[in-house]
Amino acid sequence: MRLTSGLTLALLAALSLPLGAEPVAGGDPLAADPHLQALPRTAPEAERIARVTAPTTDFSAPEKFESNPGGGGTVRVLPTADAFSQFSANLSFEDELRFKLGNGLFRKLWVSSPSSTLASDGLGPLYNSRGCQSCHLKDGRGQPPLPDEAGAHSMLLRLSVPAEAATGEVADYLASRDGTPLEPAAPHPAYGSQLQPLATPGKAPEGQVAVSWTEEPFTFPDGETASLLRPDWRIDDLHYGPLGDGVMISPRVAPQMIGLGLVEAIPAGDILAGEDPEDADGDGVSGRAAVVKSPEYDRLMLGRFGLKAGAATIREQSAAAFSGDIGISTPLFPDPWGECSVVEAECRAGPHGDKDARGTEIDEEGLSLVAFYSRNLAVPARRDVDDPEVLAGKKLFYDSGCIACHRPKFVTSRMSDRPEQSFQLIWPYSDFLLHDMGEALADNRPEGRATGQEWRTPPLWGVGLTQQVSGHSRFLHDGRARNLTEAVLWHGGEAEAARERFVTLPAKDRAALIRFLGSL
């Protein structure tokens, strides 16, 4: 369902932005966006955008365009579980067909080889899921296993072991950029970089995800109580030998899919501008950019996607998921055995689904369609933006310092090839940087530049629709939080001060802040 598609023009008019402007100079190679055909900004244009995206200080009424968090692509809220499955409102009629074809591939259930359905074979042999939609059900958020549930169906465990030293282009770049050393880690020699609990017939799965939960009561200063679930993750039924000493396990539920194309269209320089690795402003919040080596562009790029921002583009993130989660090869990751290690010789020996006309198990056209689909899943409109309690909660959210990481607004690049995401004022409530979230949320598994206590700030748009879309309200990287209050209470590290301000609020104000989050 469409909202107005004239928001871009309205924003252009409001900002008086000239088309065909000259670029703003910048020396950091991470500020380049080789995946975007972006038109450069002038310095005056950048100044006007800075004014528009500055946090408001007026909470008496909603801000202009605030009800459309996804810019001109924002869609109306469906009252069903399909609220996250709509295409961008400003998508052209011709591209709606591409979106629907991509949706078909996103929903496809892959089968093992050999099969008579050649276009769908190549599953595994070891895998986490038979299709993208199986984890991202209704394009929403996954959840951890329920107490009486065997296995995990919409999450995975990342694995790694300590390494002697971090080497490579990323390590060299960071050493020259700010002298920050990478924490060395490597894939597990037998189980690779993620546990795969499923296998095709005749093959043995790697092991099974298991978790024990412990209730921890919490009492607010005003006497109100809450209870937090602390997880204890483990792996049962290991088939390829013991894990050994020092193995690092990182549980991760599947994130929601909306707004990804808008995140991809934010100028890298605007995200980098939020970095403060030495906390120079003294607010207790640093923020560091993830740096990745792009397999597609063969260069260093800003990491944007994934819970630790380990991928630079939607296409790379999609290809990595095909390989690691489903065991499907792509032009970017052509190994037909996916994540199988050299120890898992039977898995590598196949059979596999490549070597036919496709070349890889999903070819370039299929991968591009899935990326296009993922890029154009729309952000639903805000609800109750003018409600007095929501406005009061918004003020408390800002005053409590939450926006130090959950940055409200960006303006996307103006692009010649992606009109749906081009030059949109968006409200993701994320700075897309890495932050230390404290020991309680640490997975103690470094990934690239991210330490074992750092996570990328997740965008908050759509969090209020999680129950409606996914049938649950589990939040944070491993789904331990059963509601937004618990999610806030788990915050620590750089977010500790903001958490403490939330804890000491009167119950009425805490409820207003949570109501604001529910309106996103």
Side-chain angles (χ1 to χ4, degrees), residues 50-71:
R51 287 198 297 273
V52 169
T53 56
T56 185
T57 56
D58 179 3
F59 301 94
S60 62
E63 295 172 76
K64 198 171 185 180
F65 306 125
E66 185 177 1
S67 60
N68 292 337

Side-chain angles (χ1 to χ4, degrees), residues 29-38 268 294 296-302 304 312-313 316 417-418:
L30 281 188
D33 291 311
H35 61 297
L36 303 177
Q37 296 182 28
S294 164
E296 181 176 7
Y297 296 96
D298 191 29
R299 56 166 293 164
L300 298 182
M301 291 180 65
L302 172 69
R304 301 171 189 247
T313 69
E316 291 177 5
D417 60 333
R418 301 184 188 183

Side-chain angles (χ1 to χ4, degrees), residues 190-202:
Y191 293 95
S193 60
Q194 70 186 60
L195 183 80
Q196 292 165 317
L198 300 171
T200 56

